Amino acid sequence: MHTTGEPTRIVIAGFPALSTPSTLLEQRAEARSQHDHIRKRLMLEPRGHYDMYGAVLRQDTELVRSGQAHIGVLFTHNQGYSTMCGHATIALGRFLVDTHDPAVFPKREELVSDPVRQTTRVDIHAPCGVVNVSVPTRQNERGVLVADSERDVSFISTPAFASGIRVTVSIPEARRWPELVAQGRRSVTLDVSFGGTFYALVSARELGFPTGLARGRMDLDALSRCVTLLKAHLVEDEGFRKYITHPVTPDYSFLYSVMVVDEEVGVVPAGADGAETGLCFFADHQIDRSPTGSCVVARMALAYAKGIRKIGERWTYHSVVSNAFGGEGGFTASITEEADVTDAQGRVVAKGVRVCVEGRAFYTGSSTFVAETGDATADSGFTMQSVTQG
Ligand SMILES: O=C(O)[C@H]1NCC[C@@H]1O
């Protein structure tokens, strides 16, 4: 499927069995340590490409067993396994409503529909927790309930919180990019926020670039080189570590992405109070084509913490792709409630919010992948970067 151009390759069969019973985070660790060749095979060339994204369905997790979720999922990308993904959640909502194969989705029959709103709820156990997905539905010509592609899917996030507001980071000389140097600067000021995974949020202007993302006008190569240097510094900077340390779950304590935001607004659709545009570099410098649902969550939490967004206000987030399509594919979000992060003893460790994100995903096709004996690419895959730069 794709969500605003961002792919989700949904693995419905063939993934090796993982230990059961185990938690979803244990399954994530096992997939990474024992079966990473499957991820590489499906995400990288020649079966995938540098910017491919995937979702491996997990029918058995601790929260499926306890009845808190209908199904679990592991998210995959060019570097490993994410802890949250909004664009894939939107795609999975539709896919799961449409999937009647009990081997793929054993709890399909337990889904509850709302006949008035014409929606069906699917609770998905993502590595960051349970996300409640609301899928618009309709009866098809044979009377079967199917997901309605003409209305938005929405999901309600796990608690999201700002972990660093206006953090000034010194950039060592070896890591300064030309646009920063040209302004005679040695530092940048950015924000850090958690939307199921940690995002560093920085404006294009702060990086030394003119605005223009919203109009699709930006020197992408130069911006990409800048973000490579900035992220490499942030992940090594000891002083920065506290902003990407999750107060409860060590598995979440890493910097997933640098999101470059633009002061230009992009298309403001009817019913939204405002809009923003951003360009998300995540994992190993993958570029998200979609407005990045988990970062939309992080951005709303950040705006709430800064006092510039209220509960119920509706804000639309664009990627360069959604702006290129006249605003189609923007994700519209609203904060539904305050929601604190608590530790195992129930103590509040971070003040946060839950965010509702709306977007639309479409089917692109179905595939069967094979790996033959003697195929040198089968277990590692490759990217042009890996074969030219090691
Ligand atoms: O929508 C999202 O949240 C994701 N898209 C690719 C990178 C993020 O995980």
Side-chain angles (χ1 to χ4, degrees):
M1 299 184 77
H2 84 92
T3 315
T4 322
E6 179 70 1
T8 304
R9 183 165 276 176
I10 304 170
V11 180
I12 59 168
F15 200 84
L18 298 174
S19 303
T20 52
S22 56
T23 67
L24 185 62
L25 288 177
E26 287 166 349
Q27 293 177 31
R28 178 171 173 264
E30 187 177 338
R32 185 160 50 192
S33 63
Q34 309 291 315
H35 308 296
D36 207 34
H37 61 290
I38 304 290
R39 176 191 65 80
K40 289 176 178 163
R41 194 180 283 170
L42 292 171
M43 295 295 103
L44 306 181
E45 294 186 49
R47 296 165 188 80
H49 59 77
Y50 197 83
D51 295 296
M52 179 52 76
Y53 204 94
V56 180
L57 295 174
R58 302 305 311 152
Q59 288 78 11
D60 181 83
T61 78
E62 73 279 22
L63 298 184
V64 174
R65 288 191 289 276
S66 68
Q68 288 163 268
H70 297 110
I71 196 160
V73 62
L74 296 176
F75 298 119
T76 63
H77 48 63
N78 70 3
Q79 190 177 44
Y81 301 80
S82 160
T83 56
M84 178 50 194
C85 178
H87 91 269
T89 297
I90 289 167
L92 284 171
R94 262 198 85 191
F95 173 82
L96 290 165
V97 164
D98 289 339
T99 297
H100 291 260
D101 180 345
V104 177
F105 189 17
K107 302 254 178 190
R108 167 72 178 71
E109 295 312 312
E110 292 180 20
L111 298 183
V112 175
S113 295
D114 179 335
V116 178
R117 292 174 59 225
Q118 293 190 297
T119 55
T120 297
R121 176 163 159 174
V122 190
D123 297 329
I124 300 179
H125 183 189
C128 67
V130 176
V131 282
N132 309 122
V133 188
S134 175
V135 183
T137 43
R138 63 175 175 83
Q139 308 276 337
N140 72 7
E141 50 292 346
R142 284 179 287 123
V144 177
L145 190 79
V146 293
D148 182 354
S149 63
E150 293 181 24
R151 289 184 288 146
D152 282 2
V153 171
S154 64
F155 71 86
I156 297 188
S157 73
T158 55
F161 58 95
S163 56
I165 296 180
R166 287 182 277 279
V167 176
T168 297
V169 181
S170 303
I171 309 294
E173 197 170 352
R175 288 257 160 82
R176 286 180 206 146
W177 50 93
E179 292 75 10
L180 192 74
V181 174
Q183 295 190 344
R185 292 176 39 223
R186 299 165 176 212
S187 65
V188 291
T189 299
L190 47 76
D191 299 307
V192 191
S193 190
F194 182 82
T197 184
F198 281 104
Y199 285 89
L201 297 126
V202 61
S203 77
R205 190 189 291 282
E206 180 66 17
L207 294 172
F209 290 81
T211 60
L213 268 183
R215 285 166 290 135
R217 297 221 176 83
M218 183 65 74
D219 183 344
L220 188 57
D221 289 340
L223 191 63
S224 170
R225 283 192 291 273
C226 148
V227 170
T228 302
L229 289 162
L230 175 62
K231 190 174 179 195
H233 174 61
L234 294 179
V235 297
E236 279 172 13
D237 183 5
E238 279 305 316
F240 189 72
R241 184 150 299 279
K242 60 177 177 286
Y243 301 111
I244 52 169
T245 298
H246 193 272
V248 180
T249 311
D251 287 273
Y252 306 160
S253 298
F254 63 96
L255 180 64
Y256 183 47
S257 159
V258 171
M259 169 64 92
V260 181
V261 295
D262 199 334
E263 290 151 18
E264 287 184 346
V265 293
V267 182
V268 184
D273 299 304
E276 289 174 28
T277 298
L279 182 61
C280 170
F281 295 84
F282 69 100
D284 185 11
H285 211 59
Q286 228 174 297
I287 296 182
D288 195 349
R289 275 62 174 160
S290 87
T292 315
S294 49
C295 192
V296 164
V297 172
R299 289 160 85 180
M300 288 295 271
L302 176 68
Y304 188 73
K306 286 182 170 179
I308 55 178
R309 199 128 316 143
K310 300 193 232 9
I311 290 177
E313 208 172 355
R314 285 169 61 76
W315 217 257
T316 296
Y317 291 84
H318 286 292
S319 63
V320 289
V321 174
S322 65
N323 273 326
F325 285 88
E328 285 296 322
F331 291 173
T332 297
S334 54
I335 295 165
T336 58
E337 60 178 351
E338 291 187 335
D340 299 333
V341 179
T342 50
D343 65 13
Q345 286 72 44
R347 287 183 299 238
V348 174
V349 289
K351 307 284 293 168
V353 292
R354 280 185 206 277
V355 179
C356 177
V357 180
E358 303 161 22
R360 221 171 276 188
F362 297 91
Y363 291 98
T364 53
S366 59
S367 314
T368 301
F369 295 98
V370 297
E372 291 185 283
T373 307
D375 180 351
T377 73
D379 283 352
S380 60
F382 70 93
T383 62
M384 285 310 287
Q385 285 87 337
S386 70
V387 294
T388 58
Q389 291 155 30

